[in-house]
């Protein structure tokens, strides 16, 4: 049962524009959310995270927004660059249930020049 | 400066023939994780070690075992691989608690003939 859902398998954006990657979750007990980025032949690398006590976290070109009532989070990349082309995984955790990271299936982002 | 190393990168085994995947880390992290990621699916946590304490996810098949002989190394043993066990196996580490960033290795792609 997939508790973290990324409904868009792929997204194509022009260089310089905003990329918006979406993620929905079903478990209201999740209280920590992360985005990982994965290039081909490499493992996922941590990108940005947000605690459920916040609704926004920003790190350079990357901003994550959390809407707890809608159980939705999104990753904004502004401006998008060709090097951002990768698969982006959304993940969520419940701090009271141990160490399990629940991943979405990923969204493949292509940034075209 | 590889921090989480997985060997081999590609492993081919025969149906029912035991196989061991290896992970090592140079980060001196307390926690090590094994994830299974099947094609177009989300990474799924199989188990993790907090130091020497082993924690199995409830739905991890008995066919999967793990060993952590020291801080640096962790092994995934698949006792009798089935065709359904073909996947990418990702090792990850984190310093301590669940909110610490998980660092992933590049993965081992397992093929079962």
């Amino acid at each position: 049962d997939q508790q973290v859902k990324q409904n868009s398998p792929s997204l194509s954006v022009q260089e310089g524009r905003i990329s918006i990657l979406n993620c929905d979750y079903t478990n209201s007990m999740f209280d920590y959310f992360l985005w990982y980025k994965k290039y081909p032949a490499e493992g996922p690398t941590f990108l940005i995270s947000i605690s459920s006590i916040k609704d926004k976290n920003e790190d350079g070109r990357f901003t994550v927004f959390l809407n707890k009532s809608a159980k939705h989070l999104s990753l904004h990349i502004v401006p998008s660059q060709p090097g951002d082309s990768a698969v982006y995984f959304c993940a969520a955790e419940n701090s009271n249930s141990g160490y399990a990271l629940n991943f979405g299936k990923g969204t493949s982002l292509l940034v075209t020049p | 400066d590889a921090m989480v190393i997985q060997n081999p990168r590609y492993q081919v085994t025969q149906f029912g023939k035991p196989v061991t995947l290896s992970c090592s880390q140079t980060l001196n992290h307390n926690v090590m994780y094994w994830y299974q990621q099947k094609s177009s699916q989300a990474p799924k946590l199989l188990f993790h070690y907090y130091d020497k304490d082993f924690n199995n996810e409830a739905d991890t098949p008995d066919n999967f075992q793990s060993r952590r002989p020291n801080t640096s190394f962790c092994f995934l043993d698949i006792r009798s691989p089935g065709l359904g066990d073909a996947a990418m196996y990702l090792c990850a580490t984190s310093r301590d608690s669940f909110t610490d960033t998980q660092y992933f290795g590049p993965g081992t792609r397992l093929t079962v003939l």
Side-chain angles (χ1 to χ4, degrees):
Chain A
D1 183 27
Q2 195 75 18
Q3 298 185 73
V4 177
K5 298 177 183 178
Q6 295 176 256
N7 291 320
S8 297
S10 63
L11 175 67
S12 183
V13 172
Q14 268 192 320
E15 181 178 8
R17 302 282 186 110
I18 183 171
S19 295
I20 300 176
L21 295 94
N22 293 304
C23 178
D24 298 292
Y25 62 95
T26 58
N27 189 339
S28 58
M29 299 302 292
F30 288 149
D31 56 5
Y32 194 70
F33 304 88
L34 310 93
W35 284 93
Y36 280 81
K37 177 179 178 178
K38 184 182 182 305
Y39 291 117
E42 295 182 12
T45 56
F46 171 75
L47 188 58
I48 193 169
S49 63
I50 188 167
S51 165
S52 61
I53 61 173
K54 295 185 175 181
D55 54 18
K56 177 182 174 181
N57 187 26
E58 192 172 352
D59 183 3
R61 296 186 296 114
F62 301 91
T63 303
V64 57
F65 295 92
L66 175 63
N67 182 335
K68 287 194 296 290
S69 61
K71 295 192 181 68
H72 177 83
L73 64 156
S74 60
L75 174 68
H76 293 211
I77 307 174
V78 183
S80 302
Q81 299 173 354
D84 296 329
S85 299
V87 177
Y88 290 79
F89 290 97
C90 172
E93 290 178 321
N94 173 1
S95 59
N96 295 314
S97 73
Y99 293 79
L101 266 181
N102 296 272
F103 281 91
K105 293 184 179 182
T107 296
S108 179
L109 173 66
L110 177 64
V111 180
T112 57
Chain B
D1 289 20
M3 296 183 291
V4 183
I5 302 160
Q6 290 189 245
N7 286 307
R9 294 294 306 275
Y10 299 90
Q11 176 74 56
V12 180
T13 190
Q14 286 184 318
F15 183 94
K17 185 174 182 181
V19 67
T20 295
L21 309 182
S22 168
C23 177
S24 63
Q25 53 132 338
T26 60
L27 298 162
N28 205 33
H29 281 173
N30 286 320
V31 193
M32 295 187 77
Y33 310 76
W34 280 104
Y35 289 84
Q36 178 193 63
Q37 185 183 15
K38 296 186 177 180
S39 180
S40 301
Q41 298 295 315
K44 180 181 176 302
L45 183 65
L46 295 173
F47 26 59
H48 75 273
Y49 273 94
Y50 186 97
D51 195 13
K52 295 179 182 179
D53 293 333
F54 177 72
N55 297 271
N56 201 28
E57 292 301 300
D59 55 355
T60 298
D62 293 340
N63 198 25
F64 292 86
Q65 304 286 321
S66 186
R67 296 170 283 134
R68 190 178 184 186
N70 54 54
T71 302
S72 301
F73 284 87
C74 194
F75 300 99
L76 170 62
D77 300 308
I78 309 176
R79 292 191 297 188
S80 182
L83 298 178
D85 297 328
M88 176 72 82
Y89 290 87
L90 295 164
C91 174
T93 74
S94 67
R95 183 172 54 86
D96 194 4
S97 72
F98 79 100
T99 53
D100 289 334
T101 299
Q102 291 191 20
Y103 294 85
F104 283 82
T108 294
R109 182 164 295 285
L110 177 68
T111 299
V112 182
L113 301 177

